[in-house]
Structures are given as structure tokens and as C-alpha cells.
Amino acid sequence: MLKIKNLHASIEGKDILNGINLEIKPGEVHAIMGPNGSGKSTLASVLAGREEYEVTDGEIEYLGKDLLDLSPEDRAREGVFLAFQYPVEIPGVSTTNFLKTAINQIREYRGQEPLDAVSFLTTMKEKMKLVEIDQALLSRSLNEGFSGGEKKRNEIFQMAMLEPKLSILDETDSGLDIDALRIVANGVNKLKTSETSTIVVTHYQRLLDYIVPDFVHVLYKGKIVKSGDKNLALELEEKGYDWIKEEVDTATA
Amino acid sequence: MSEILKETSLEDKFITHFNELESRINGESKSAFHDIRKEALESFKTLGLPDKRNEEYKYTPVQRVLKKNFDFGVVGEQATLSADEIRDNYIPGLKTNTLVFINGVFSEKHSEIISKDIIIKDFNLALKENKEDIETYLAKYADYKEDAFVALNTALAENGSFIKLENNKVIEEPIALYFINDAKSKEVHSQPRNLFIAGKSSQASFIEVFKTTGEQASFTNVVTEVVVNENAHIDYFKIQNNENTSYHVGTTHVWQDRSSYFAGYTFTLSGALVRNNLNIIIDGEGCESHMFGLYLLNGSTHVDNHTAVDHRKPNSFSNELYKGILEDQSHGVFNGKVYVRQIAQKTNAFQSNKNILLSNEAIINTKPQLEIWADDVKCSHGCTTGQLDEEALFYLQSRGVGKERARVLLLYAYAAEILENIKLDPLKDYLEGLVSERLHKNF
Ligand SMILES: Nc1ncnc2c1ncn2[C@@H]1O[C@H](COP(=O)(O)OP(=O)(O)O)[C@@H](O)[C@H]1O
Ligand SMILES: [Mg+2]
């Protein structure tokens, strides 16, 4: 599904990603953990196509295509989805409002007929149940005055509507209470198939009790410095990151 | 040398217009209002047409563009517009009392009054028939001693409308005034004058539409005075969607008595140069005043909105939101004055001006001016100028919305914040249509 080779990226001349290698196969869940500022969100943004980040070296292959060649909208149309760590507020644009445009542009890209109003509504109702979100919220200005939990649920709702092949969840669990966490995780799990892959960026092992990863990677200073299975997450929970930082810092010193 | 001769002649030409008017109306020249005309003319002579040195017209040197583009000879009737051409300008689906002015002159033939309970008259006729109201209200608010264009309009006032709502009358059908300039063969200039009087607890909506057809230059200098008596409720719309050969200076002066409501909406979509003054005097307690503005500018359009709200009594509320989108080499000016007099305690006054610049060559000059003498008040103001929100753009793109479409979606949402305040549905639809068309929102 996704092959990242020696990825280097910078912003405003500052190197953030320093040679990332990662391969993700269909059906797999990969967790990416690591201390604040290690480059997790940068990696997610580069995958989604944010232009402020300059890719200075390396390549990304997605379903046999050169991902870096595609515009952000075409990546979405090819099945890439990013649940934002900090979803933006857009006054005057409601979720319902732009999702309809989004879905029909995606369908057009794929050579499908546009979705009529009734089918759109039916799909919406069905997906709303999945993340226990209210219609009223979806008609309001996007994220304006939403609680933290509402923002994150809205992200997963959009994911459900767009049915991506590769989902990147950037700290979707941060700040959620346990009920909201369960709802979000449950939604993600229900959307998972043997054809889809998920990258879960998180700080906390807690989420991984619900979304069980096949692999756990630790990102530090823009590099994957350690990989393992779900037990690595447990170990990090217990011991923190200092031991890894020390390992890396003494090795590079 | 010849340059100087030419410069003196512009004011002189208007004085010639006045002399021509005076000889034409000789029977009326003894009337009380004619004395005001004469005073206004003297004031116009003293003030002169404003240039850049005038602080209020610093960014909008109307004098220069008028000199450059107009001859200002005395013109007679020249309109050749067909009924269809006039009807094309009407707001679709909106049942209105319709007043048509061609080159500033009231056209009875094209006008239609459908509401009972309302007095609607050619301004000229009201001067003769409604002497008491004229003496009480006309030229009492729009100050011809301060502003040269108000002075000029007052000196030359003979065309326009007089509209009066008696106490407690609620007029369902809006009153739409279509000011149509026919600039097909020659330049046009008009100086319409309107007086709207809303009696106690009356209610109505006024819509002023300005439209020029034809390639020649047109200049409109309009003054509207709105008297909002106790507990009356008035919505007022000004819609400017004009040729790029059209020059417009307009002053709307509103006076509010206690517990009254006034909302002014100003939409500017095109034109060569537009200067709008909206002045509100809140002269009673418990008043509510709203000022909404939306300007979508492209090409070399220059639009200057000057607003002033004067809180003279306690316990009133005013709110202002003006938003602009500027493309190409367009130039926007916003100046918002809020006065809160010492006596006007417990005033709530809010003001905001927001601008999106879509090109490096577009210019906005924005200046809030708050002068507050009372101490127990809530007032705020803010202005923002920026590009389109890149984060929001990326967010929409990341959901599969194409960049161009995402841009339009965001711009439309930005404009909609103004549009959604309009309660008259057909009018709202009409304006949404104009805005969509301008933003190429064809989906
Ligand atoms: N837009 C930006 N401008 C400047 N520096 C940035 C920007 N975005 C991220 N960075 C820097 O890049 C580094 C990695 O940030 P980020 O990817 O957000 O880390 P993480 O998500 O792992 O906490 C940090 O040092 C951060 O300050
Ligand atoms: Mg992050």
C-alpha cells in the first residue's frame, strides 16, 4: 500500500524529517509514537500533501503511484485520509455542505455518477450512527465552537463518509475522555477491512488497547529509531521515552 | 494656464445648473426650501469639491475623477430605455412598491404603488404638497454645511422621492427605488434626493438599486434622509451593481428616536468609483442599529465606505460588520466612526471590518475611529486584512475538494456571513445569485 523511502522534509529551511523508511501493507495497523516535536505531525502532513513542507529527499510510493506527484485533493481522491491533530475551524462552511462537494468530486475523479441528495442523506445517517454524532452538529459551521471530542468525532465521521484506503489518525485520542475514546476507536475498527491500512499517531498506549496495532514505531528527531509489536507501546507507557532518547543520543554522539 | 481655467470651471458648471434650476422654478423660488437651496449653494461654493487634502476624502479624490471623465453641461431628457430594459433590473420574485427614476427623474409611467397605507410621491410634488413635513425634516439631518456633495445635492434637489408611513402602519411589500441611468449616447449626471419618514411604530423595508446602462460615463450624487420615529422598524438596502463607467457618491443619513430599529445593508459589486456615507444618529434610548456591508471588487473599481454612528442617548445598541473581497487592482476604503457621548451610558457599540485581498495589487485602507466620552459602555472594534485562509483551504483539499472549488467555497462562506442577515427571501436569493456569479460559484 505505502512505501516510504529515505524521506527528508523541512519547513522554513529547518530539517524535520531525516530519513524515514516505512512500509505498510493492506490490512495493517501501524502506530507511530514519540516525544513531542519529533516530527509525527510533519510526517502526516507530508503524506496528505501540505505544501508548506518541502520534501528534500526520498520517495513515497502509494498503490504503485508516486504520491509526491499528486495534489492534496488527488491524494484524497486516491484514498488517502488524514484526521487532523488540530482540525481547523471554517466559519460558514458546514460539514454536510462541503462533504457533498467532496464526495461528488471524488466520484467524478473515479468516473462515477454524482450521488443524489437522497443517497447522500442515507449514507450520512448510517455513518452518523457509527460515531454517535448529531445531525445538528454537522449543519453548523465546521468545528466552530465544537468541543474537543466533537471535533475528533467529526474527523472520524468524515473518514467514514469518504471510505479511505489509507487513514492517518494524528493524535485523534488526545484529550478525549474514555467514552469518547471508545466511540472513536470503535468507529475506526468498524471501518477497517483487509484492504485498508491505518497509521495511528498517538502519545498514549491507552488507544492501542482499542485499536490494536500490528507494528509500533518510535519517531525521534525525524527518524524511526525503534520498531516493534504492540508490546513496545506497553514498554513505552511504563518507562517513558528517556531510555530511547539516551540510546539514540549516545549512538549519534 | 488653461489647466487652471478648467479647474475653476467644474464648480462653476454646477452653479450654472443651479441658476438654470432657479429660473425654471421661478414660482417656487420664494419657498422656505428654496432658501435652504441657496444656503446649500453658498456652502458648496465655500467647501469646494473635495480633493486629497480633505481628510474625509483622502483616499478617494472624487474631484479629480469627475474632472477627468465629465463635461457637466446642462443636459435635458435623453432616455431611450424601453419598458423591458427597465424591468430587467427588477429583483425577481419580489413583490414591491416600485419607483423608477431615469437619469434621476421620477418616471410615473414605470412606477407602481401596491400598498395602501403609505404616501409615496415624486419629491418635486411633495415640496408643494407636504410643506409641513418638508420644513420639519428635509435637510435637517444630512448636513450641507459639512459635506460638499450633500451641499451640491441640496442646492440642486428637485428630483427623487418622498415616502411617508403614518403611525402604526406596517407595510409588507418593500419599497424598491430603481435609479437607472441611461448612458447610451451621452454622459449622465443625476442628483436624486429622498426623504423617508417612518411614523411611530411603523415598519417597512426600503431598497435602493443603482444601475447604469450604456458605455458613457454616469455620475450620481444621491442623498437619502431616513427619519425613524419612536418604535419604528426600518430595513434599508443599497445595491450597487454598475457599469465600470459609473461614478457614485451617496449619503444616507438616518435619525432614530427611542426604541426604534434601523438596519442598513450596503452591497457593492462594481462601478468605477463609489463613495458611500452612512450616518446614523441615535437620539433616543433603547434603539438598535445595524450596519452591514459587502463589497466584492475587481478590475480597477474603487469603493469607499464611510460610516458614522452617533450615540446621543443611553442604553442603545449598534453593531457594524463590513466585509470585502478585493481582486486585481481594486481599491477599498473603510472608515467607521463611532461616537458615544458622555450622556450615552450603557451603550453597546460593536464594529468590525474584514478584508480578503486576492491580489498583490489590491489595496485596502481601513480606519476605525472610536470616540467615547461615556465611561459605562461596552464597545469593541476590529479590522482584519489578509489572504484566504491557507489552513482551511488545505483542509478542504485533503477531503477531495479541488483547490479552485475550495477557494470559492471559502469565499462564498465569507460573504454569506453578511447575506444571511437578510430576512426578505427573494432579495436574499437575488443577492446570493449575484455573489455566486461574481465568485464563479456555479455548482
Ligand atoms: N509550520 C511550522 N513552522 C515551523 N516549524 C514547524 C512547523 N510545523 C512543525 N514545526 C517544527 O517541526 C518539529 C516537529 O513538529 P511536529 O511534526 O508537529 O511534531 P510532533 O507531531 O511529533 O509533535 C517541531 O520542532 C516543530 O516546532
Ligand atoms: Mg503532532
Side-chain angles (χ1 to χ4, degrees):
Chain A
M1 164 104 32
L2 184 74
K3 275 185 209 151
I4 304 175
K5 280 187 217 149
N6 190 33
L7 181 68
H8 286 71
S10 67
I11 186 156
E12 288 162 7
K14 190 170 129 196
D15 294 329
I16 313 277
L17 301 182
N18 299 305
I20 291 197
N21 294 291
L22 183 64
E23 180 166 356
I24 299 178
K25 299 207 169 67
E28 289 179 354
V29 176
H30 288 239
I32 296 182
M33 303 182 80
N36 270 333
S38 57
K40 304 181 296 294
S41 291
T42 302
L43 175 61
S45 297
V46 169
L47 289 172
R50 191 169 205 136
E51 273 154 23
E52 288 95 314
Y53 295 92
E54 195 193 344
V55 174
T56 49
D57 202 2
E59 51 197 79
I60 308 176
E61 191 189 308
Y62 168 72
L63 296 175
K65 293 195 175 71
D66 182 353
L67 189 72
L68 296 174
D69 254 5
L70 301 176
S71 65
E73 56 267 39
D74 282 350
R75 295 182 198 198
R77 292 161 184 174
E78 293 283 353
V80 177
F81 181 88
L82 169 64
F84 285 67
Q85 180 177 3
Y86 304 112
V88 295
E89 296 184 4
I90 311 187
V93 176
S94 71
T95 311
T96 324
N97 184 277
F98 84 79
L99 263 186
K100 200 161 180 206
T101 307
I103 285 177
N104 282 334
Q105 289 211 303
I106 292 170
R107 292 179 70 89
E108 192 184 326
Y109 180 86
R110 295 177 184 165
Q112 296 164 319
E113 289 292 303
L115 211 58
D116 62 79
V118 178
S119 325
F120 178 76
L121 228 72
T122 319
T123 318
M124 245 184 61
K125 290 249 159 68
E126 180 192 316
K127 309 289 183 179
M128 273 157 52
K129 278 199 210 114
L130 197 74
V131 286
E132 299 177 30
I133 203 165
D134 220 46
Q135 171 112 46
L137 198 74
L138 302 177
S139 314
R140 273 170 46 191
S141 281
L142 182 70
N143 292 322
E144 232 184 12
F146 285 23
S147 72
E150 285 170 337
K151 286 184 185 170
K152 298 302 173 78
R153 263 189 286 165
N154 188 279
E155 293 291 292
I156 303 306
F157 167 74
Q158 294 176 42
M159 174 179 159
M161 289 295 288
L162 300 178
E163 297 182 333
K165 298 192 181 93
L166 173 67
S167 307
I168 306 146
L169 312 181
D170 191 359
E171 295 204 31
T172 303
D173 57 326
S174 291
L176 295 190
D177 64 35
I178 196 71
D179 291 333
L181 181 79
R182 270 200 210 105
I183 293 168
V184 163
N186 198 17
V188 173
N189 285 331
K190 281 195 185 142
L191 294 169
K192 229 167 61 185
T193 72
S194 59
E195 304 292 303
T196 63
S197 312
T198 316
I199 297 175
V200 184
V201 175
T202 183
H203 264 288
Y204 310 104
Q205 196 276 328
R206 194 177 64 159
L207 176 68
L208 305 179
D209 284 341
Y210 297 93
I211 305 174
V212 183
D214 301 296
F215 300 93
V216 174
H217 310 279
V218 179
L219 196 64
Y220 180 53
K221 291 189 173 168
K223 268 189 178 163
I224 290 176
V225 292
K226 210 168 193 60
S227 296
D229 62 11
K230 62 183 177 189
N231 291 315
L232 177 57
L234 287 168
E235 196 177 351
L236 289 167
E237 179 81 4
E238 203 176 302
K239 301 204 286 192
Y241 290 106
D242 285 351
W243 61 284
I244 292 187
K245 288 187 192 172
E246 265 166 42
E247 255 182 50
V248 176
D249 293 341
T250 38
T252 50
Chain B
M1 188 66 201
S2 66
E3 198 54 29
I4 291 168
L5 273 177
K6 226 175 147 193
E7 279 196 27
T8 42
S9 69
L10 185 53
E11 273 92 355
D12 282 348
K13 277 178 182 164
F14 285 119
I15 296 167
T16 311
H17 291 195
F18 178 83
N19 293 335
E20 184 270 336
L21 165 82
E22 196 164 49
S23 63
R24 189 153 34 78
I25 59 156
N26 69 70
E28 294 289 314
S29 63
K30 297 280 177 300
S31 72
F33 181 64
H34 195 68
D35 288 340
I36 291 178
R37 278 199 189 111
K38 284 194 273 194
E39 255 182 65
L41 185 76
E42 288 313 307
S43 163
F44 173 72
K45 286 181 191 166
T46 316
L47 292 166
L49 287 168
D51 58 22
K52 297 198 217 215
R53 285 167 299 174
N54 183 318
E55 186 62 27
E56 291 301 307
Y57 287 85
K58 191 159 120 188
Y59 302 109
T60 307
V62 190
Q63 189 201 60
R64 185 165 49 82
V65 296
L66 291 185
K67 273 191 183 137
K68 203 171 130 199
N69 296 287
F70 291 87
D71 177 41
F72 287 115
V74 175
V75 280
E77 292 264 344
Q78 62 178 46
T80 56
L81 292 172
S82 70
D84 280 346
E85 279 175 296
I86 288 165
R87 233 174 282 127
D88 278 348
N89 297 300
Y90 292 1
I91 297 158
L94 188 67
K95 230 176 124 198
T96 62
N97 293 287
T98 305
L99 281 79
V100 172
F101 301 83
I102 298 168
N103 297 348
V105 181
F106 178 65
S107 162
E108 186 154 17
K109 189 170 84 182
H110 294 108
S111 300
E112 192 191 2
I113 313 303
I114 56 173
S115 301
K116 284 194 254 75
D117 299 332
I118 187 167
I119 301 163
I120 300 184
K121 256 181 219 184
D122 183 3
F123 180 80
N124 222 337
L125 204 59
L127 286 183
K128 295 180 194 112
E129 297 179 358
N130 299 70
K131 288 212 162 74
E132 206 186 307
D133 285 326
I134 295 293
E135 261 169 55
T136 316
Y137 298 117
L138 186 65
K140 293 295 178 290
Y141 308 105
D143 193 349
Y144 55 80
K145 294 202 172 72
E146 288 286 322
D147 183 280
F149 289 101
V150 172
L152 182 61
N153 177 286
T154 308
L156 298 176
E158 60 172 333
N159 295 302
S161 67
F162 172 87
I163 301 174
K164 186 178 179 184
L165 292 146
E166 301 287 3
N167 294 349
N168 302 309
K169 298 296 181 201
V170 175
I171 305 301
E172 298 286 342
E173 294 85 6
I175 300 122
L177 296 88
Y178 294 97
F179 295 94
I180 300 168
N181 284 331
D182 180 357
K184 282 183 192 160
S185 57
K186 273 187 271 179
E187 68 172 44
V188 190
H189 18 96
S190 62
Q191 312 253 359
R193 179 76 180 211
N194 305 302
L195 177 60
F196 305 156
I197 305 166
K200 281 185 189 171
S201 301
S202 65
Q203 183 174 338
S205 299
F206 295 98
I207 306 166
E208 294 182 346
V209 179
F210 294 89
K211 185 77 198 174
T212 300
T213 43
E215 304 286 288
Q216 305 304 315
S218 79
F219 172 60
T220 303
N221 176 29
V222 59
V223 174
T224 299
E225 287 172 295
V226 188
V227 181
V228 191
N229 282 305
E230 198 176 324
N231 204 38
H233 192 112
I234 296 298
D235 284 299
Y236 168 83
F237 300 88
K238 188 166 178 177
I239 302 168
Q240 301 165 312
N241 187 20
N242 248 324
E243 296 293 326
N244 288 326
T245 46
S246 116
Y247 298 79
H248 179 108
V249 178
T251 296
T252 298
H253 209 115
V254 182
W255 179 82
Q256 285 186 257
D257 203 347
R258 60 169 300 146
S259 305
S260 66
Y261 173 100
F262 175 86
Y265 301 79
T266 306
F267 298 94
T268 311
L269 289 120
S270 49
L273 177 138
V274 175
R275 163 62 177 257
N276 294 315
N277 301 310
L278 174 61
N279 303 323
I280 301 177
I281 296 172
I282 298 177
D283 213 0
E285 294 195 38
C287 288
E288 192 175 328
S289 315
H290 297 269
M291 289 165 276
F292 294 109
L294 180 65
Y295 39 99
L296 309 182
L297 313 184
N298 60 9
S300 55
T301 296
H302 180 114
V303 172
D304 178 345
N305 278 299
H306 266 60
T307 66
V309 55
D310 185 358
H311 284 268
R312 293 186 180 174
K313 294 281 156 67
N315 290 309
S316 287
F317 167 90
S318 71
N319 178 46
E320 172 166 34
L321 177 62
Y322 270 64
K323 295 181 100 172
I325 299 174
L326 290 84
E327 294 179 73
D328 307 331
Q329 299 87 41
S330 62
H331 189 166
V333 180
F334 174 84
N335 179 293
K337 296 184 180 71
V338 177
Y339 304 107
V340 182
R341 311 266 177 138
Q342 194 165 5
I343 192 181
Q345 299 294 351
K346 309 276 182 199
T347 288
N348 284 336
F350 307 104
Q351 180 192 80
S352 169
N353 172 233
K354 296 179 181 171
N355 298 285
I356 292 183
L357 303 183
L358 296 177
S359 114
N360 289 330
E361 293 161 286
I363 300 172
I364 178 80
N365 300 105
T366 172
K367 184 179 179 191
Q369 248 177 289
L370 274 67
E371 294 181 26
I372 299 165
W373 294 282
D375 46 30
D376 185 13
V377 299
K378 273 196 205 116
C379 295
S380 75
H381 71 88
C383 51
T384 58
T385 297
Q387 277 80 43
L388 202 58
D389 183 350
E390 292 289 333
E391 300 246 339
L393 200 61
F394 175 68
Y395 188 93
L396 294 175
Q397 284 179 273
S398 81
R399 298 304 183 242
V401 181
K403 189 169 189 173
E404 203 37 51
R405 188 72 71 90
R407 246 172 63 94
V408 172
L409 214 78
L410 291 174
L411 288 175
Y412 188 80
Y414 171 85
E417 195 190 351
I418 300 292
L419 298 171
E420 67 199 15
N421 295 293
I422 304 172
K423 281 155 271 168
L424 288 165
D425 281 335
L427 178 62
K428 189 175 169 184
D429 293 346
Y430 171 71
L431 287 164
E432 281 175 352
L434 289 182
V435 171
S436 298
E437 196 182 315
R438 254 313 274 290
L439 299 174
H440 309 289
K441 182 178 181 287
N442 41 12
F443 52 91

